[in-house]
Amino acid sequence: MFQLFQRKNHIPWNKGKIVGQKPPLKLKEIWAIRIRLQMDDEHRDLALFNLALDSKLRACDLVKLRVSDVSQAGRVASRATVMQQKTKTPVQFEITLQTRTALDHWIDLNQLSSSDFLFPSKSSAIPHISTRQYARVLNGWLESIGLNPRIYGTHSIRRTKASLIYKSTKNLRAVQLLSLIHI
């Protein structure tokens, strides 16, 4: 009976692909990407990469951030709160000094106002970069340091901070408290 529904020469969608959880980045990989972006003067990418690590937001929430979501009175704040699209719950996250510096530089360089999207699209069709564009940018970062982009994904960035906290503390409660602050 099963053979009736099977097509000849049908290739499964996941043949030859890595399926399952994508691994988080390691600390040395994070620094390799940061240094590469700094050396290449990729201001947007550096701000995007740092904010993705700090915020632990899904790609769909990250690309839709506005300047006002992360700044107050013309300067990037040390904490931000964002409503998640998928869960409709607010999430609060710390913005490290390194990320604040990169964001301030990016905002000043592009003269973005508080109502502008933080990562505007170059296309007039959509106002901010798409999640697909973010994934392509991430692939470029990974390739630039010699990693296989098929192994990692945008969710790898989201998982990185929590995995680093766990690796250093071996305490799951610390990960929950330090990494997953919900209001």
Side-chain angles (χ1 to χ4, degrees):
M1 177 91 175
F2 180 70
Q3 291 178 347
L4 291 175
F5 296 108
Q6 242 180 359
R7 288 181 274 158
K8 290 187 181 208
N9 301 327
H10 174 74
I11 300 170
W13 69 269
N14 58 352
K15 181 174 179 160
K17 294 185 179 179
I18 299 169
V19 293
Q21 258 187 5
K22 306 271 185 169
L25 295 175
K26 296 178 181 86
L27 197 54
K28 68 178 184 173
E29 296 163 346
I30 292 169
W31 281 105
I33 291 171
R34 277 189 178 140
I35 290 167
R36 174 77 52 165
L37 294 175
Q38 288 170 345
M39 287 175 27
D40 294 344
D41 286 330
E42 296 288 346
H43 304 290
R44 180 201 68 178
D45 288 2
L46 182 61
L48 180 60
F49 180 70
N50 286 341
L51 187 59
L53 288 171
D54 281 358
S55 70
K56 302 167 301 297
L57 290 172
R58 290 177 183 86
C60 63
D61 295 323
L62 182 66
V63 299
K64 291 180 184 171
L65 287 175
R66 292 186 183 269
V67 174
S68 60
D69 292 330
V70 297
S71 70
Q72 298 168 350
R75 286 288 144 223
V76 176
S78 60
R79 290 195 162 282
T81 303
V82 176
M83 186 69 71
Q84 296 179 91
Q85 179 181 325
K86 182 178 179 181
T87 62
K88 305 289 188 253
T89 58
V91 63
Q92 185 178 36
F93 54 91
E94 181 183 357
I95 304 173
T96 61
L97 178 60
Q98 186 170 22
T99 302
R100 290 194 307 265
T101 303
L103 285 169
D104 272 332
H105 187 69
W106 168 247
I107 292 166
D108 291 344
L109 191 65
N110 290 281
Q111 300 174 343
L112 299 174
S113 70
S114 63
S115 62
D116 289 336
F117 283 100
L118 198 49
F119 305 107
S121 172
K122 293 177 183 172
S123 164
S124 60
I126 57 170
H128 55 78
I129 63 170
S130 67
T131 54
R132 185 66 203 115
Q133 178 63 29
Y134 170 51
R136 281 192 293 267
V137 168
L138 172 62
N139 288 347
W141 300 336
L142 296 168
E143 286 174 346
S144 74
I145 63 164
L147 294 177
N148 182 352
R150 296 177 79 190
I151 295 173
Y152 300 90
T154 57
H155 205 72
S156 296
I157 301 290
R158 187 168 190 237
R159 298 178 60 231
T160 295
K161 190 170 188 176
S163 72
L164 291 174
I165 292 169
Y166 181 76
K167 188 175 182 178
S168 68
T169 65
K170 300 291 188 234
N171 183 343
L172 192 55
R173 187 66 182 145
V175 173
Q176 292 170 331
L177 294 172
L178 297 173
S179 177
L180 305 173
I181 300 172
H182 288 277
I183 295 176

